[in-house]
Amino acid sequence: MEFLLASGIGWVTFCGLWLLLRGRSFPAVLGLTLLGYAVNLFIFASGRLWRDAAPILAGDGPYADPLPQALVLTAIVIGFATTGFVIELALRGRHDNGTDHVDGKEPGAPATVEPHGTPGPSGTPGATGKEAA
């Protein structure tokens, strides 16, 4: 059973990393979410599941550690809020750039040359020092 759980956590981590390394923003958001799930599963598995054990120390019997469950519950809430924020950033980037590529331009697209709109020494846009003299 431990092998199955460990390999499941490994596959979720692998899928999250693979999606995170894609060139688009929405697969990257999904990859971050999957990595969060993998970490939550790892923390939850590290606390082990106990049967018929109290979550507090009561007598000589076994007791379950409630800390991993509390950490995972807190991480789920924080992960949900962070995912919403990152989705909003991805939507804003798509709106501003016209693409959802993480670099802001499509791969294979011709490189655009920035226009010479910066003011030169003479105060006119595009003028260099040699042209102004």
Side-chain angles (χ1 to χ4, degrees):
M1 190 65 174
E2 287 109 13
F3 175 75
L4 182 63
L5 184 62
S7 60
I9 292 171
W11 273 107
V12 172
T13 303
F14 170 75
C15 291
L17 284 175
W18 185 76
L19 284 170
L20 190 62
L21 294 175
R22 305 298 299 163
R24 304 282 179 188
S25 58
F26 290 110
V29 170
L30 291 176
L32 281 173
T33 304
L34 281 178
L35 279 178
Y37 290 155
V39 169
N40 287 343
L41 283 172
F42 178 73
I43 292 172
F44 193 70
S46 70
R48 301 191 322 190
L49 291 176
W50 291 87
R51 297 179 83 180
D52 299 328
I56 55 174
L57 185 59
D60 293 335
Y63 68 96
D65 185 16
L67 186 62
Q69 289 88 357
L71 288 175
V72 168
L73 183 62
T74 305
I76 288 170
V77 173
I78 293 171
F80 183 72
T82 305
T83 301
F85 179 68
V86 172
I87 287 174
E88 181 60 34
L89 286 178
L91 287 172
R92 179 62 187 245
R94 175 150 173 86
H95 175 72
D96 289 347
N97 298 326
T99 181
D100 68 338
H101 199 271
V102 293
D103 289 338
K105 60 183 178 196
E106 292 292 328
T112 58
V113 178
E114 294 294 324
H116 298 290
T118 57
S122 66
T124 59
T128 61
K130 293 180 184 176
E131 296 169 349

